[in-house]
Amino acid sequence: MGITLASDVGGTFTDVVLTGADGRVEVAKTLTTPDDPTTGLMRGVERVLAATGVKPGEVSRFVHATTLATNVILERTGVPVAFVTTAGFRSMLALGRQARVEEERYDLAYVRPEPPVPLSHTFAVPERVAPDGTVLHPLDERAAAEVAAAIAALEVTAVAICLLHSYANPVHERRLAEIVQAALPAGATVVTSASVWPELGEYERATTTLMSAYVGPVMASYLRRLGGRLRDLGVTAPVHVMESAGGVLPAALAASRAVYTIESGPAAGVIAAARHGTDLISFDMGGTTAKAGLVRGGRPGITHEFQVGGKGSYGGRRPGTGVPIKVPAIDLAEVGSGGGSIAWVEEGTLRVGPRSAGADPGPACYGRGGTLPTVTDANLVLGYLDPDGFGGFRLSEERARAALTEHVARPLGVADVVEAAAAVHEIANAQMGTAVHVVTVRRGIDPRGLTLVALGGAAPTHAAHLAGRFGIGRVLVPPQAGVGSAVGLLYADLAIERARTFLAPVDRLVSCSGSGDLLGELTRVFEELERACLEDLFAGGSGGSGEPGGAFRRDSTCVRAVGVRFVGQAHAFTIELPPGPLTPATVRQAAEEFYERYRESYGIDPRDPAELTTARVRVTLPSGSRAPRPAVKPGDGTSGSRRVWLEGRFLDVPTRERAECPPGVELAGPCVVTEPQCSLLVPPGWRGTVDDHGAIVLERAEPGSGT
């Protein structure tokens, strides 16, 4: 394995990790630069290269995760875009699928949110394709040319095209795209739904295509700028970008399929957690948000539809809120509760988040002009953080106290600022518990038998208390936990997924008569999807083009899956198929797994007829990366003591440097383990051990054990 650089740009911090063939790791955590994220990123790159003495030209791989696509959608800062659909469906996006959630349920003055594209930028063309792909009405090319001229007059940068049933036959979409492209200036982006995600469900397909057009040019510009700055520094390695399902895409593919990168940063954290066991809860808390994901059998859960930009207690994933995106993504629950989440009092009630101080100005204790109190300020006042070193700069307890006093303690009528700080900390814990609750209890999974893996700059401070709320008895804090998402990028494999609608009753596929041709057709669809995935990875991952070579194909792995639902229902489960030829027995096994999944999810066990809805293929090319090896300095880990707020009072507890804790060292709570990027709080009643891989494993002492 050569030298790999990995970078994760978050809302508050940008993390950069460098690792080489010997497994040694060098880490840099810098403040994110919102106006141009590449500035903070390059600062971190230069820092790790200087610390290791590695020459830029020696870097063989650069892996990147970014929240750019998410931020563009949330902040509505994408390019001007127009939308074209089939005549009669022009109001599809305006009607949408909105639902009132949380406080909006009781708002008598509720105003529907604006559609993702206004009606003035929405057009329709006469044409019609049947669900089986039959052309019912040819595309009216004269009307299409008139629409193209009207779009050109709007001076938009991108156009999204989603025609009815184009997943079954994209001929009209392709021709319409040619007509529109010819009317627009050179360089304008035209995106068709058949090229983004050809599945049934016109509304979700439309919003996914629209967001791809909306974000794509911004992502392409950003990646060009990043590539240029890396080349100026001397880093010529290929750039790979984390996609939402936990793999990485070549930069060229990420630019053209920006919608695949919406959950880029959060996905990397779950991939990092999955390296540490089989049944885990990934808990990733940074400066802006906290994310929870579930790992079962060593693999993260994958969803093929999620929501962006909606309201709700866990980041807008509740059906009916936000903009639905129909691409594969690691199934996450997210809340606006991070280290930089602002605390304030509203009508006598203490609130924490989702507003964040971000990187500029940041929490009050950063001394960069921020005056509003945050979770980080509260943790500093409570003694959980080391004021002499967090992320490379000193924290000011005086500023933190002043902010908490003015904006929390006084409005609440609380005399003691410590009491106010403790309240902020507890509310943050409760809100983060919502994310864990969503991915476990709300899905019928008992969290008590799982291990909570803490990642991110703020997670180790809250992890043990959060675990205690759910009866979770084991917490694992990996090496370099404070930059956990960036470390997860080191493991990420090149991967791409493609899907195509394939409607077929299970009974016909498994029956003896008439099933051969249908099975053969499904086999051909899988083969075509696999070939398309390989061509994507080969062209983008190796710098070549054309048909993938034999070695490339041998090194890759292909996983096939199908969507299965009851006949007449709208939603399907994705069922993975075993390797080998497709047979009636294979389909029967998939149907049985669908029935079992349905029973687990809904508590009932119907055996009604089922049907296949979608064929999916995911092709992966392993990165060959090895787990990084943490550096351990001589010493016993004991470095002093600090006053820490525990169980309603301050206690003098020992502090330890993590770099001086070799494998086998035991940690008895209460204590605090510090490192430059995070601070681990071990409360009373917990004990920890450093394992052979450098991870700290905390376990809750059994009642009556005397520990």
Side-chain angles (χ1 to χ4, degrees):
M1 183 188 75
I3 294 171
T4 300
L5 267 173
S7 65
D8 174 38
V9 178
T12 304
F13 284 103
T14 293
D15 301 333
V16 178
V17 174
L18 183 148
T19 184
D22 61 355
R24 294 282 184 176
V25 170
E26 184 65 33
V27 168
K29 182 180 279 285
T30 66
L31 286 169
T32 295
T33 48
D35 291 340
D36 184 0
T38 64
T39 300
L41 190 157
M42 294 306 298
R43 189 181 302 138
V45 169
E46 291 170 356
R47 189 176 298 174
V48 295
L49 290 175
T52 57
V54 171
K55 293 180 175 60
E58 296 175 341
V59 176
S60 59
R61 188 176 186 230
F62 185 91
V63 194
H64 184 45
T66 175
T67 56
L68 178 69
T70 306
N71 293 341
V72 166
I73 295 172
L74 294 178
E75 298 165 8
R76 297 208 168 194
T77 55
V79 300
V81 62
F83 177 73
V84 189
T85 189
T86 301
F89 290 82
R90 180 168 172 261
S91 297
M92 173 171 52
L93 294 178
L95 292 172
R97 286 207 182 99
Q98 293 295 324
R100 294 195 191 191
V101 297
E102 306 304 333
E103 70 277 1
E104 289 178 346
R105 293 171 178 164
Y106 315 105
D107 186 357
L108 298 179
Y110 172 75
V111 178
R112 284 174 56 92
E114 292 294 322
V117 62
L119 274 175
S120 61
H121 285 52
T122 302
F123 301 87
V125 293
E127 66 84 38
R128 196 60 179 264
V129 172
D132 64 357
T134 303
V135 175
L136 301 178
H137 299 290
L139 174 68
D140 186 333
E141 296 205 4
R142 178 178 296 179
E146 292 173 355
V147 165
I151 292 173
L154 294 174
E155 298 183 349
V156 297
T157 305
V159 180
I161 299 174
C162 180
L163 303 181
L164 204 65
H165 303 307
S166 61
Y167 58 85
N169 185 350
V171 61
H172 288 175
E173 274 196 355
R174 290 171 180 167
R175 178 58 185 145
L176 179 58
E178 292 174 354
I179 295 171
V180 172
Q181 190 80 68
L184 298 179
T189 299
V190 178
V191 181
T192 64
S193 71
S195 66
V196 174
W197 202 247
E199 284 194 46
L200 54 79
E202 66 274 6
Y203 176 65
E204 290 79 7
R205 185 159 43 88
T207 55
T208 302
T209 307
L210 179 65
M211 288 301 107
S212 186
Y214 185 65
V215 176
V218 180
M219 177 65 78
S221 174
Y222 168 75
L223 290 175
R224 281 196 301 270
R225 190 165 64 253
L226 173 60
R229 296 196 67 167
L230 288 169
R231 286 191 296 273
D232 290 343
L233 184 64
V235 177
T236 58
V239 176
H240 295 156
V241 181
M242 171 66 75
E243 47 104 39
S244 300
V248 294
L249 299 173
L253 272 178
S256 64
R257 300 181 184 180
V259 72
Y260 283 63
T261 69
I262 287 174
E263 295 285 9
S264 173
V270 183
I271 295 300
R275 303 283 293 196
H276 295 278
T278 55
D279 296 307
L280 311 166
I281 301 169
S282 169
F283 171 54
D284 183 356
M285 181 182 177
T288 307
T289 60
K291 287 81 66 176
L294 196 64
V295 176
R296 302 301 298 272
R299 299 173 63 182
I302 301 293
T303 180
H304 288 84
E305 185 178 333
F306 60 99
Q307 310 254 343
V308 176
K311 287 190 175 181
S313 61
Y314 47 98
R317 287 184 171 277
R318 180 173 298 167
T321 70
V323 179
I325 304 295
K326 203 171 177 63
V327 298
I330 289 179
D331 199 4
L332 292 163
E334 185 170 353
V335 294
S337 186
S341 294
I342 295 170
W344 82 101
V345 176
E346 182 180 55
E347 297 181 354
T349 301
L350 178 60
R351 309 273 188 179
V352 178
R355 290 186 302 156
S356 174
D360 186 14
C365 63
Y366 284 9
R368 295 170 50 86
T371 59
L372 299 177
T374 66
V375 174
T376 295
D377 294 303
N379 287 343
L380 179 63
V381 169
L382 297 173
Y384 302 150
L385 303 180
D386 182 1
D388 290 326
F390 181 80
F393 52 90
R394 180 174 173 79
L395 305 180
S396 169
E397 185 175 343
E398 181 181 355
R399 287 190 174 92
R401 283 179 169 271
L404 285 162
T405 298
E406 179 179 354
H407 296 282
V408 178
R410 285 177 185 165
L412 288 176
V414 176
D416 188 357
V417 68
V418 173
E419 186 178 342
V424 172
H425 180 84
E426 285 302 316
I427 290 176
N429 282 342
Q431 291 177 168
M432 290 179 288
T434 304
V436 175
H437 185 270
V438 166
V439 299
T440 56
V441 177
R442 194 171 285 183
R443 295 175 186 173
I445 297 169
D446 187 347
R448 291 174 294 183
L450 306 176
T451 298
L452 184 74
V453 180
L455 300 159
T461 304
H462 295 261
H465 282 154
L466 181 62
R469 296 173 69 92
F470 289 90
I472 297 171
R474 194 170 186 264
V475 174
L476 188 146
V477 185
Q480 296 92 29
V483 292
S485 290
V487 172
L489 292 170
L490 300 175
Y491 312 129
D493 301 322
L494 273 166
I496 188 69
E497 181 169 327
R498 283 181 173 267
R500 189 183 304 172
T501 292
F502 187 89
L503 282 171
V506 169
D507 289 346
R508 281 191 59 198
L509 288 162
V510 301
S511 64
C512 296
S513 60
S515 65
D517 290 343
L518 199 56
L519 275 178
E521 183 181 345
L522 180 55
T523 298
R524 286 191 294 274
V525 169
F526 279 131
E527 291 172 348
E528 291 171 4
L529 292 173
E530 181 181 359
R531 186 160 52 249
C533 288
L534 286 166
E535 289 171 354
D536 284 341
L537 292 180
F538 181 71
S542 66
S545 60
E547 183 68 21
F552 189 94
R553 186 181 291 270
R554 284 194 303 273
D555 292 340
S556 64
T557 59
C558 176
V559 175
R560 301 173 302 170
V562 289
V564 187
R565 68 183 182 187
F566 285 116
V567 175
Q569 288 197 332
H571 300 286
F573 283 94
T574 297
I575 307 298
E576 188 174 311
L577 300 177
L582 191 64
T583 66
T586 303
V587 177
R588 187 180 299 108
Q589 179 181 338
E592 289 301 320
E593 185 173 343
F594 161 72
Y595 290 133
E596 178 62 22
R597 290 266 299 278
Y598 197 94
R599 184 190 63 77
E600 290 176 352
S601 298
Y602 301 109
I604 56 176
D605 192 17
R607 307 293 291 187
D608 296 350
E611 64 181 353
L612 269 57
T613 62
T614 310
R616 304 187 191 279
V617 165
R618 185 170 182 83
V619 173
T620 301
L621 185 67
S623 67
S625 299
R626 296 187 304 175
R629 182 161 55 92
V632 179
K633 298 189 299 187
D636 61 4
T638 302
S639 56
S641 64
R642 190 160 74 228
R643 294 181 72 238
V644 176
W645 183 261
L646 292 167
E647 300 180 340
R649 59 196 175 104
F650 276 108
L651 299 175
D652 286 322
V653 304
T655 60
R656 296 171 175 249
E657 270 193 63
R658 180 158 187 172
E660 295 185 1
C661 294
V665 164
E666 296 187 357
L667 308 165
C671 72
V672 176
V673 182
T674 64
E675 54 184 308
Q677 292 80 34
C678 63
S679 182
L680 169 61
L681 173 64
V682 185
W686 289 79
R687 59 176 179 264
T689 305
V690 181
D691 69 13
D692 292 339
H693 304 289
I696 297 176
V697 181
L698 302 183
E699 293 184 324
R700 192 171 47 183
E702 295 295 332
S705 65
T707 304

